[in-house]
Amino acid sequence: MRRLFFLICLSWVSPLWAAHGYALWGDLKYSANFAHFDYVNPVAPKGGELRLVSNLRVSTFDKYNPFTIKGSAPAYLSDLMFDTLLTGSLDETGSGYGLLAQDVVVAADGMSVTFKLRPEARFHNGDAVLAEDVKYSFDALMGPFTSPAYKTMLFDVVGLDVLDARTVRYRFKKPNRELPLTVGSLPVFSRAWGAAGGRAKPFDQIVTDVPIGSGPYKIGPVRFGKDITYVRDVNYWARDLNVRRGTANFNRITVKIYKDGTARLEALKAGEFDLMRFFSAGDWARRVNGKRFDSGELVKREYQHRLPTGFQSYVLNTRRELFKDVRVRQALGLALDYEWMNRQMFYNAYQRVNGLFGNTDCQATGLPSPQELALLTPWRSVVPADVFGPMSQPPRTDPPSSLRANLRQAQALLNAAGWQVQDGKLRNAAGQAFEIEYLDSNEGSARVVTPWARNLEKLGITLNFRPVDFALYQQRLQKFEFDITSLAYGGTHNPGQEYADLFGSEAADQEDSGNMSGMKNPAVDALISAMTRATSKTELVPACRALERVIAHSHVLIPQWSAPTHRIVFNSWKLDQPAAMPPYSQGEGWAIDTWWARPVSQ
């Protein structure tokens, strides 16, 4: 969605910046007086309803507070209900334009950023959005009841000062180009949210209190466990603002919940909702059909994007003793026959993920550059030796390569690590069998994991598939109680401090952090620090490429696959859309933001 996209497109500008927006490298696409973003229809009609399916894996929701750790909030709530100081555009990267803020000023020394709030900005209850609300929101997100990812992402923020009723200043520990965008993208909510008798509740006790935000939608009818409807705020304060013109066009957005993929697909064919994004290549190729498609009511379309590939991967939990040795981790990856899977199971719909930064300037190729070597050489003793050679490539099985050759290499690596086959089982010197568990909340994943498990069995390794309900799955991930799982990480053109949450040593020991692999390496910490303190793209690129090399050659992630398109089915009789999708759209978020309902007469 918008805010997630905005957060991951982060990562300074010339020493002083005062403008209607902020660009990471000093080049905003849109001038101060722009009328609207190029990719919207500025005269799109308001009205009608968008019915879609939840994009979350949870099968229900039990709270309206999307920021606290415990419980599950409805899909899209944060983006639809909470405005931010800045908002990104979908046709450029690393930029933010004033939404709640009418201007942004970065200090000459880069040690602070000041935002002036728009006097017309209002919460849903009619209260003005004031500096104290921004401070309250920041303090709540940095408090003990929210994900540690906020603390990691905002690690270099010293604090927030209220300068006057509508002016705030964020102070930083050190100059960091990404921080003005990072703090500018934080949700802002009212101090009155959850207050009772004039007194605010502890943030973790704000659960089903209806949020008081300033976004374009409010919560409407709700059927817990089935659906939630967001209702457009006809008095939305920013409806005529240039960054909002042509957006939030539906009067109602209803998000339906289905407990499994089959029920979801059949409901789409039955006309129970009007838009769905597909992640299953099998469904897309073989099961997206029926009379509503034949009549032209439902349209199946792929939209080409220019997003980073991200790094969807099988994650190996290196907190487990079995995965401590890099040779063992590499051997597991050699047993994955991606080419066969893509051909036989995915209808050749995917491309293989490699590294962290595919399809961006940060993608590492070939040998390290002199600039990369200057960053890597001081850490030679703590990174794999292969880091100083060609960039790691996932093993292939198409000619002249083969699965047989890969398994031979895997066997040699396992033997070198002290594992030998005895009685058909791979065992270490203590006689311990190599048996691991793959954890997932989706039973359908067994079909994808089974070919890998068969190949591992040839090495004497037992891979057990363990499906659990999402609540238990989430709990076990938060506590790092798993051997292997599959996670889809979003990519970014401008990586920064968020990678400390994903791979930083401190995050490895923080429950509910994003460091699922348990990576703890001073070289990784140093390279993430080099990324965040970069003052130009020339400094950023070697740092992120060096980081990608270290992570890839550490084999804590077994790369999976990514799709170069968004696969979407929509009801063409009910929905209309702009002429083209912006290149950095996150799929259904574009539809929610910028599509509109066709007049009933059509």
Side-chain angles (χ1 to χ4, degrees):
M1 286 288 297
R2 263 194 334 268
R3 188 162 301 119
L4 175 60
F5 165 77
F6 185 38
L7 280 168
I8 65 178
C9 285
L10 305 178
S11 249
W12 179 247
V13 7
S14 45
L16 177 64
W17 184 282
H20 62 293
Y22 176 85
L24 216 52
W25 309 113
D27 187 17
L28 285 167
K29 174 179 178 178
Y30 295 94
S31 62
N33 297 316
F34 77 98
H36 55 81
F37 291 133
D38 290 345
Y39 52 83
V40 305
N41 174 5
V43 294
K46 306 292 186 184
E49 181 177 17
L50 172 63
R51 303 177 303 163
L52 71 162
V53 65
S54 171
N55 67 333
L56 301 179
R57 295 174 74 176
V58 293
S59 58
T60 187
F61 55 88
D62 54 15
K63 65 174 185 176
Y64 294 142
N65 186 340
F67 310 114
T68 50
I69 295 174
K70 295 181 179 179
S72 300
Y76 312 115
L77 184 147
S78 184
D79 289 305
L80 294 175
M81 296 193 68
F82 299 106
D83 276 342
T84 52
L85 296 170
L86 302 177
T87 186
S89 67
L90 299 179
D91 54 356
E92 61 185 321
T93 66
S95 64
Y97 295 87
L99 179 51
L100 287 171
Q102 63 184 17
D103 61 56
V104 50
V105 178
V106 178
D109 60 3
M111 295 293 286
S112 67
V113 59
T114 301
F115 298 96
K116 184 74 173 179
L117 293 170
R118 297 182 189 272
E120 66 269 32
R122 291 290 185 275
F123 288 114
H124 296 146
N125 64 357
D127 291 346
V129 180
L130 299 175
E132 288 291 349
D133 297 297
V134 180
K135 179 171 174 53
Y136 170 78
S137 303
F138 172 75
D139 290 344
L141 295 174
M142 290 293 285
F145 306 117
T146 60
S147 168
Y150 284 110
K151 289 80 166 173
T152 302
M153 186 171 63
L154 301 170
F155 179 78
D156 285 331
V157 179
V158 176
L160 183 153
D161 302 322
V162 174
L163 303 185
D164 62 39
R166 287 192 170 86
T167 309
V168 296
R169 177 188 295 144
Y170 283 95
R171 291 176 287 108
F172 309 142
K173 293 178 184 177
K174 57 187 179 183
N176 182 327
R177 276 187 176 266
E178 72 174 307
L179 284 179
L181 281 177
T182 304
V183 298
S185 69
L186 295 176
V188 175
F189 36 87
S190 171
R191 291 163 289 164
W193 182 22
R199 299 182 61 181
K201 294 181 185 178
F203 199 58
D204 66 328
Q205 294 180 25
I206 300 175
V207 180
T208 55
D209 305 79
V210 175
I212 304 176
S214 59
Y217 288 87
K218 302 177 181 180
I219 290 177
V222 174
R223 294 189 299 169
F224 279 87
K226 293 189 176 182
D227 56 53
I228 181 171
T229 296
Y230 301 99
V231 178
R232 187 168 63 88
D233 181 4
V234 295
N235 297 313
Y236 176 47
W237 71 274
R239 60 188 179 275
D240 296 321
L241 206 62
N242 52 6
V243 295
R244 286 296 199 225
R245 190 166 293 129
T247 70
N249 300 317
F250 297 101
N251 280 348
R252 295 159 59 92
I253 297 174
T254 296
V255 183
K256 294 176 176 286
I257 297 171
Y258 298 88
K259 293 192 175 183
D260 63 71
T262 301
R264 189 183 304 125
L265 179 56
E266 293 307 312
L268 172 70
K269 294 180 179 181
E272 292 185 18
F273 55 93
D274 308 314
L275 185 140
M276 179 175 168
R277 182 178 172 193
F278 280 78
F279 297 93
S280 167
D283 282 347
W284 187 255
R286 296 192 294 117
R287 290 178 282 276
V288 180
N289 51 45
K291 63 180 182 180
R292 291 180 188 270
F293 291 91
D294 297 338
S295 70
E297 179 183 2
L298 291 180
V299 172
K300 173 182 175 181
R301 185 172 298 173
E302 295 191 52
Y303 296 89
Q304 196 81 28
H305 62 72
R306 301 208 327 250
L307 292 170
T309 60
F311 45 107
Q312 179 173 312
S313 308
Y314 292 113
V315 182
L316 306 181
N317 185 359
T318 62
R319 301 170 184 85
R320 299 291 206 242
E321 192 62 36
L322 282 173
F323 299 141
K324 294 292 188 186
D325 194 313
V326 65
R327 294 169 295 189
V328 170
R329 302 194 297 267
Q330 185 177 0
L332 295 177
L334 283 160
L336 182 69
D337 189 346
Y338 165 75
E339 280 70 33
W340 182 89
M341 295 169 69
N342 196 34
R343 185 174 63 251
Q344 299 297 120
M345 303 174 68
F346 303 151
Y347 303 88
N348 289 314
Y350 295 122
Q351 57 191 24
R352 189 78 190 268
V353 167
N354 186 37
L356 307 179
F357 304 122
N359 203 29
T360 74
D361 292 339
C362 281
Q363 182 174 8
T365 57
L367 294 169
S369 67
Q371 295 82 4
E372 292 171 59
L373 287 172
L375 293 166
L376 290 166
T377 299
W379 304 103
R380 188 179 287 272
S381 64
V382 295
V383 300
D386 290 345
V387 164
F388 296 91
M391 175 58 183
S392 172
Q393 296 294 323
R396 302 186 66 89
T397 58
D398 49 352
S401 302
S402 69
L403 176 62
R404 183 185 294 271
N406 290 348
L407 292 178
R408 285 200 190 107
Q409 184 183 350
Q411 186 177 49
L413 287 166
L414 291 165
N415 291 346
W419 293 88
Q420 301 286 336
V421 176
Q422 301 174 28
D423 303 322
K425 295 284 187 181
L426 191 68
R427 300 181 186 275
N428 60 15
Q432 177 191 8
F434 200 122
E435 187 170 336
I436 49 182
E437 180 182 89
Y438 175 82
L439 183 72
D440 207 307
S441 65
N442 182 3
E443 291 191 19
S445 298
R447 172 177 169 270
V448 177
V449 175
T450 297
W452 186 27
R454 283 199 302 262
N455 295 338
L456 289 171
E457 190 175 7
K458 296 174 184 177
L459 297 170
I461 296 173
T462 300
L463 175 62
N464 297 315
F465 179 75
R466 175 73 186 280
V468 296
D469 69 79
F470 185 80
L472 179 57
Y473 175 76
Q474 191 174 38
Q475 183 182 72
R476 288 186 58 175
L477 289 191
Q478 287 172 342
K479 296 181 178 181
F480 310 123
E481 295 175 350
F482 68 95
D483 295 337
I484 303 176
T485 193
S486 173
L487 293 173
Y489 296 91
T492 174
H493 288 275
N494 301 291
Q497 185 64 24
E498 69 273 20
Y499 280 77
D501 180 60
L502 296 176
F503 299 108
S505 297
E506 187 175 340
D509 297 322
Q510 291 180 336
E511 188 174 306
D512 197 39
S513 80
N515 190 343
M516 293 297 166
S517 69
M519 171 68 77
K520 294 180 76 170
N521 189 309
V524 170
D525 298 335
L527 293 170
I528 293 171
S529 179
M531 289 194 318
T532 60
R533 67 172 182 266
T535 59
S536 67
K537 199 158 189 177
T538 304
E539 291 182 9
L540 171 72
V541 168
C544 56
R545 289 179 178 175
L547 175 68
E548 184 174 60
R549 292 179 190 276
V550 174
I551 300 298
H553 284 288
S554 296
H555 300 286
V556 295
L557 306 175
I558 297 176
Q560 294 182 336
W561 37 85
S562 68
T565 62
H566 298 311
R567 298 180 292 236
I568 295 177
V569 168
F570 62 92
N571 188 317
S572 67
W573 295 356
K574 293 184 177 180
L575 305 177
D576 209 343
Q577 58 189 276
M581 185 187 78
Y584 305 110
S585 164
Q586 293 287 327
E588 73 273 24
W590 169 54
I592 292 170
D593 273 354
T594 67
W595 291 23
W596 61 91
R598 289 185 178 275
V600 176
S601 59
Q602 292 187 11

